[in-house]
Amino acid sequence: MFFHYHPYEPFLFKEATKLIVGTLPPPRFTSRELKEEDVDFCYGSKNGQLWPILDHIFDLKLRYENTKAAADQRKDFLLKHKIGVCDIVASAERAKIDASDLGMQNVKLRNLIGYLQQYPKVDTLLFMGGNSKNGPEYFFRKHLKEYDLSYKVISDVVPRIHEVELPNTSPIRKIKTVSLTAPSGAANRAIGSLQAYKEMKDRNPNFTTFDFRVLQYKEHFL
């Protein structure tokens, strides 16, 4: 059994207003067997699409290499735009060593509500995936039950939006959550089944799943 723990501490700072929330990076980030085009930072996998999407939206001219300069580019962007990163999974076990969320067993969660209480300017959580089993929204729902907190639906159209009220805050502090389509190749099939994507594809045959994510992420990252 492979012990898959998160190799990065949450990237949090007092000015942050939004948090990117996912699960775990690929196991090679835990075993420190990074590839040349991996970046040694959150969402740094060469196969991941989060940074290419943000690069496209913000014209960041990012480096895609295993260097300190590449990691610093990403940190500088997050600081400038007041975006933190706090993945919800602290560790899990795997019978098969791969990056599948479904393969995670004996999952231990981070105390995301506790972090929200420590960083009072955060008002939005950007989930890198939805409520499918072992996705970030799925785990957040389980986490809320530990605090006996309700989860209010604001919009049930992809990307789904919810709201949670934090306890013991005055005035009452409301946190919005947005369940973005996961920035992974595994989510491409789900995108292909969406009516909104089919309509865009019909209008423009060159329209891709990457383009679909760019439109979706732009609305909530800007």
Side-chain angles (χ1 to χ4, degrees):
M1 194 71 74
F2 177 76
F3 181 61
H4 190 184
Y5 64 87
H6 206 300
Y8 304 115
E9 289 297 313
F11 186 80
L12 296 168
F13 48 98
K14 62 183 177 136
E15 295 85 5
T17 60
K18 298 178 181 178
L19 294 184
I20 295 169
V21 181
T23 53
L24 286 170
R28 67 179 182 275
F29 282 76
T30 295
S31 58
R32 311 307 298 157
E33 299 174 296
L34 275 65
K35 300 177 180 179
E36 283 187 13
E37 295 173 70
D38 287 334
V39 179
D40 193 7
F41 185 60
C42 306
Y43 298 91
S45 169
K46 62 172 290 188
N47 306 116
Q49 295 188 353
L50 175 60
W51 285 112
I53 290 168
L54 296 178
D55 199 352
H56 185 90
I57 294 170
F58 292 93
D59 191 24
L60 301 177
K61 298 178 174 59
L62 295 177
R63 301 183 184 191
Y64 296 88
E65 59 193 25
N66 190 359
T67 64
K68 181 178 182 300
D72 286 345
Q73 278 186 318
R74 288 151 176 80
K75 294 174 185 178
D76 290 344
F77 164 80
L78 293 172
L79 290 168
K80 178 181 178 181
H81 292 274
K82 300 179 181 180
I83 302 170
V85 183
C86 187
D87 288 339
I88 195 167
V89 176
S91 67
E93 294 179 343
R94 292 184 181 277
K96 181 181 178 182
I97 304 178
D98 61 21
S100 165
D101 281 345
L102 287 175
M104 294 189 292
Q105 305 174 41
N106 300 321
V107 177
K108 305 297 182 186
L109 301 181
R110 284 173 168 165
N111 184 2
L112 192 50
I113 295 298
Y115 283 120
L116 290 173
Q117 291 170 334
Q118 290 179 49
Y119 294 88
K121 291 186 178 181
V122 174
D123 58 23
T124 304
L125 303 182
L126 300 172
F127 291 141
M128 298 292 103
N131 192 37
S132 56
K133 185 177 179 182
N134 289 2
E137 182 191 322
Y138 172 88
F139 284 130
F140 188 65
R141 287 175 179 272
K142 291 185 66 175
H143 185 47
L144 291 179
K145 290 179 181 178
E146 299 173 14
Y147 287 85
D148 196 27
L149 297 177
S150 60
Y151 204 37
K152 179 183 177 182
V153 177
I154 303 300
S155 172
D156 205 26
V157 178
V158 174
R160 289 187 303 275
I161 298 175
H162 293 78
E163 183 179 84
V164 60
E165 294 183 359
L166 291 189
N168 306 318
T169 59
S170 182
I172 293 175
R173 185 170 161 215
K174 297 181 179 180
I175 305 294
K176 180 175 77 171
T177 74
V178 184
S179 298
L180 297 167
T181 302
S184 64
N188 287 342
R189 182 176 296 178
I191 294 175
S193 68
L194 293 174
Q195 185 60 35
Y197 173 77
K198 291 177 181 178
E199 291 173 0
M200 293 177 189
K201 187 74 171 176
D202 285 342
R203 290 195 296 269
N204 176 10
N206 294 321
F207 190 76
T208 67
T209 55
F210 181 85
D211 297 328
F212 182 83
R213 288 184 179 90
V214 167
L215 291 176
Q216 189 184 99
Y217 283 45
K218 182 184 292 186
E219 180 178 353
H220 298 285
F221 271 91
L222 286 175

